[in-house]
Amino acid sequence: MSTARQTRQREVIVQVLQQAEGPLSAPELLARAQVTLPGLGTATVYRTLKLMQEQGEAHAVHLDGEPMYESSGRGHHHHFSCNGCGRVFSLHSCPVALPRGTVYPGGFVVEDHEVTLYGRCPQCAAQQAQAPAPGVTAG
Amino acid sequence: MSTARQTRQREVIVQVLQQAEGPLSAPELLARAQVTLPGLGTATVYRTLKLMQEQGEAHAVHLDGEPMYESSGRGHHHHFSCNGCGRVFSLHSCPVALPRGTVYPGGFVVEDHEVTLYGRCPQCAAQQAQAPAPGVTAG
DNA sequence: CTATTTGCAAACCCTTTGCGCTGGT
DNA sequence: ACCAGCGCAAAGGGTTTGCAAATAG
């Protein structure tokens, strides 16, 4: 079962994912990894991503319909997607208390959950409050 | 502004969506609608779906990375995706209290949220407890 | 040396778009 | 009659797969 070999490709992919400021889509991950490893192929990224997920080293989140990936080991958290600038932030406090094994009304046994909040990040919220429209002043 | 015409296709698509027990993917919706309207084309489903969303008659949810659609007017609710049978159920009690306008720690203004629970539906949970493997009887 | 891994390219979804014809109003 | 809407089929974007060459152990 020496199945997981240490290759340059995997090394780079893992590193890119760990250094990312947030979740990345496969194409984004590919692009970033190719900076270091120009010849890297699409398939390798997907295969490595699948492998990492099976081994629990990474997991997928779904933001606005796009599957994105992030490195594990940052603890349980969710995401906030800004409707203004489109950036995705990680939330470190979880708005729901649903540990594995919780039984939801009706007999649904919860094993995992995914929460995504949509709205305005601090910056966009501030812009909205201070400058409702371009050219409009507060006076 | 007589933009929205009443056609047999739209009638069927709307009906299928309203009668669905949960959210449907576009291909699923197409298949179900084709039972009634065999000649229905793929593009029509997507175009109608887009139209319905713009008019607020339907909205999209993202389950396991797949965009799925459901008829509006069932109130605020979320989904439970069964890891056993793959079916999706609608949950009528919301595990989070985050009305529009809630300000999340850090200054994030919440406008909307999406919650998906993953686990075992009542049936799959029962099977798991009572029949670990096919062909095994209880006696 | 042997089995795993890679890169390429083709294959596969799913979704969108262009176009001539049908059909609602 | 007019033009929105339809079905078909091609195009597009992301993800998966087959295979020979490359490489880790």
Side-chain angles (χ1 to χ4, degrees):
Chain A
M1 64 177 71
S2 56
T3 316
R5 287 189 184 176
Q6 172 66 13
T7 68
R8 177 94 183 108
Q9 287 82 343
R10 289 181 184 174
E11 185 185 312
V12 173
I13 292 171
V14 169
Q15 183 179 303
V16 167
L17 208 55
Q18 288 180 342
Q19 295 182 345
E21 68 290 350
L24 300 176
S25 67
E28 280 172 343
L29 174 49
L30 173 66
R32 296 195 189 189
Q34 283 180 333
V35 173
T36 304
L37 214 71
L40 184 63
T42 315
T44 301
V45 170
Y46 285 101
R47 284 189 280 234
T48 302
L49 238 20
K50 178 175 289 187
L51 192 71
M52 290 177 73
Q53 290 180 73
E54 289 170 355
Q55 295 179 175
E57 295 174 18
H59 59 103
V61 293
H62 307 114
L63 293 159
D64 212 48
E66 298 265 324
M68 306 187 82
Y69 308 86
E70 61 185 357
S71 177
S72 298
R74 299 191 190 188
H76 176 76
H77 68 277
H78 298 297
H79 301 92
F80 184 100
S81 178
C82 182
N83 290 330
C85 58
R87 285 183 297 172
V88 173
F89 302 81
S90 292
L91 298 174
H92 302 294
S93 54
C94 179
V96 295
L98 292 168
R100 271 184 77 90
T102 297
V103 178
Y104 211 74
F108 294 92
V109 182
V110 178
E111 297 180 342
D112 197 7
H113 66 262
E114 200 174 282
V115 177
T116 305
L117 306 185
Y118 296 92
R120 300 273 158 180
C121 70
Q123 291 173 37
C124 288
Q127 283 176 19
Q128 200 168 256
Q130 293 167 15
V136 176
T137 64
Chain B
M1 62 175 76
S2 56
T3 316
R5 288 189 184 177
Q6 171 67 13
T7 68
R8 178 90 181 110
Q9 288 81 345
R10 289 182 183 175
E11 186 185 311
V12 173
I13 291 171
V14 169
Q15 184 178 302
V16 167
L17 208 54
Q18 288 180 342
Q19 294 182 347
E21 68 290 348
L24 300 177
S25 67
E28 280 173 343
L29 174 51
L30 173 65
R32 296 196 189 189
Q34 283 181 332
V35 172
T36 304
L37 214 70
L40 185 63
T42 315
T44 301
V45 170
Y46 285 102
R47 283 189 280 234
T48 301
L49 238 20
K50 178 175 288 186
L51 192 71
M52 289 177 71
Q53 290 180 74
E54 290 170 351
Q55 296 181 173
E57 295 175 19
H59 59 104
V61 292
H62 306 114
L63 292 157
D64 212 48
E66 298 265 322
M68 306 187 82
Y69 308 86
E70 61 186 359
S71 178
S72 299
R74 299 191 190 188
H76 176 75
H77 68 277
H78 297 299
H79 302 91
F80 184 99
S81 177
C82 182
N83 290 331
C85 59
R87 285 182 297 172
V88 174
F89 303 81
S90 291
L91 299 175
H92 302 294
S93 55
C94 180
V96 296
L98 293 168
R100 274 184 75 90
T102 297
V103 178
Y104 211 73
F108 294 92
V109 182
V110 178
E111 297 181 341
D112 197 6
H113 66 262
E114 203 173 278
V115 177
T116 307
L117 305 185
Y118 296 93
R120 302 273 159 182
C121 70
Q123 290 173 37
C124 288
Q127 281 175 22
Q128 201 166 257
Q130 294 167 16
V136 177
T137 63

